[in-house]
Amino acid sequence: MFYSRLGLGPKNKINILTYLGRILIIFWLPFNLYAKTLTIAVTSSFASTFTQLAPIFEKKTNIKLKASYASSGQLATHIMHGAPIDVFLSADQNHIIKLENAGLALPADRVTYAYGELVMAVTGINHKALDIKILLTTQINKIAVANPIFAPYGVATLQAFERTGLLTALKPKVVWGESVGQVASFIQSGNVTAGFIARSQCYLLQKQKNYLSFWLVPHKLYDPIKHCATRILTSKKPKAAKLFLSFLKTKSARMIMRANGYTSK
């Protein structure tokens, strides 16, 4: 009846419906493109910061983020074995490069989103002039270190031991954790008297334990901890994945990372 009032025949009806359908598709596509869920593999040292970044990205884009946490090496291995990951946030660039060499990522997609800093945490000791030599004393019986095979912060810790000439002396006291996240758990539970973690983890540990002392390990004792991210080529949501990588470089994201103990260079 509506069409007859306008003086339109059956052919005109079809043309109008086709035209309206095309308009709906044009407007619907952008929302459909971004109304998705991205699965992000997040290095455990970045977990707390990621939980602060995720709501901002989701609000801006209507894309939900689902995180999977582990050490950088473990996450890279999962991806190599076909884990359905869209974006990988590593605590170094080496594991990203491995994925690039395996044809699972592109060098052009690699983003340096932050630089991490290594911190020594000691329980039950309040020393204003704290340094790495405290680990040689009888007060420290167990030192938690992230497994260097999987965790960049574990690599940095061993570099610090080597460059101070303390590796041989400290090795018998070392307790290995799968990641810096597990090292933080060891410290929190009191199973160790010292441990090496990311600076970003200090804020959370400080809230939970008021008798921890922290020592920021001098940068000269370890190579830069360059946090890199990339899009995984097997992802079925490449545009949304690239959008998240771009978000990591925004001013708002960098402000949150800086507030959590990360630097941009």
Side-chain angles (χ1 to χ4, degrees):
M1 184 179 291
F2 173 76
Y3 295 103
S4 59
R5 286 179 183 177
L6 294 175
L8 301 174
K11 290 184 179 180
N12 298 110
K13 293 180 186 178
I14 294 172
N15 289 338
I16 287 177
L17 288 172
T18 302
Y19 178 71
L20 290 173
R22 286 174 180 173
I23 290 176
L24 286 173
I25 289 172
I26 290 170
F27 281 98
W28 176 79
L29 275 175
F31 289 99
N32 181 60
L33 176 64
Y34 295 127
K36 299 179 177 180
T37 298
L38 282 177
T39 302
I40 316 292
V42 184
T43 182
S44 58
S45 61
F46 198 71
S48 177
T49 306
F50 179 82
T51 59
Q52 297 171 50
L53 291 171
I56 299 173
F57 177 78
E58 290 175 342
K59 186 176 180 181
K60 284 184 176 180
T61 63
N62 197 34
I63 302 173
K64 297 296 180 183
L65 298 180
K66 178 183 176 183
S68 176
Y69 302 107
S71 67
S72 298
Q74 289 172 321
L75 292 171
T77 299
H78 293 331
I79 293 169
M80 294 278 281
H81 285 84
I85 300 297
D86 298 301
V87 176
F88 175 31
L89 270 62
S90 177
D92 68 355
Q93 64 177 351
N94 294 335
H95 289 101
I96 300 286
I97 292 172
K98 285 180 182 178
L99 294 180
E100 292 170 358
N101 292 337
L104 290 168
L106 295 174
D109 286 334
R110 195 194 315 162
V111 171
T112 301
Y113 62 93
Y115 283 85
E117 293 181 295
L118 184 66
V119 168
M120 180 180 74
V122 180
T123 65
I125 299 173
N126 187 13
H127 279 273
K128 292 182 179 179
L130 195 67
D131 66 30
I132 201 165
K133 291 180 181 178
I134 190 73
L135 300 178
L136 295 170
T137 67
T138 55
Q139 293 172 290
I140 306 298
N141 54 16
K142 291 181 181 179
I143 307 165
V145 177
N147 189 331
I149 296 174
F150 301 113
Y153 283 88
V155 173
T157 302
L158 292 189
Q159 288 174 345
F161 288 176
E162 288 175 348
R163 294 178 189 181
T164 53
L166 300 178
L167 180 61
T168 302
L170 297 179
K171 203 169 182 181
K173 294 185 177 185
V174 170
V175 175
W176 299 108
E178 291 182 356
S179 65
V180 284
Q182 190 173 52
V183 168
S185 296
F186 288 161
I187 297 168
Q188 183 183 354
S189 64
N191 289 331
V192 298
T193 43
F196 286 81
I197 56 174
R199 185 181 179 186
S200 57
Q201 296 171 293
C202 294
Y203 303 101
L204 188 60
L205 280 176
Q206 218 164 13
K207 290 178 182 178
Q208 297 171 343
K209 276 185 174 286
N210 56 12
Y211 54 92
L212 278 175
S213 296
F214 298 104
W215 179 63
L216 185 63
V217 181
H219 293 175
K220 65 181 180 180
L221 294 182
Y222 60 93
D223 296 339
I225 304 173
K226 189 177 183 180
H227 285 241
C228 292
T230 193
R231 171 179 66 97
I232 305 304
L233 293 181
T234 53
S235 170
K236 295 180 181 179
K237 307 153 193 172
K239 290 187 178 180
K242 286 185 176 181
L243 193 65
F244 180 74
L245 291 176
S246 297
F247 166 73
L248 291 175
K249 297 184 286 185
T250 62
K251 185 178 180 181
S252 58
R254 291 197 182 279
M255 284 180 65
I256 290 173
M257 286 187 257
R258 191 161 50 247
N260 279 273
Y262 290 97
T263 64
S264 56
K265 58 182 179 178

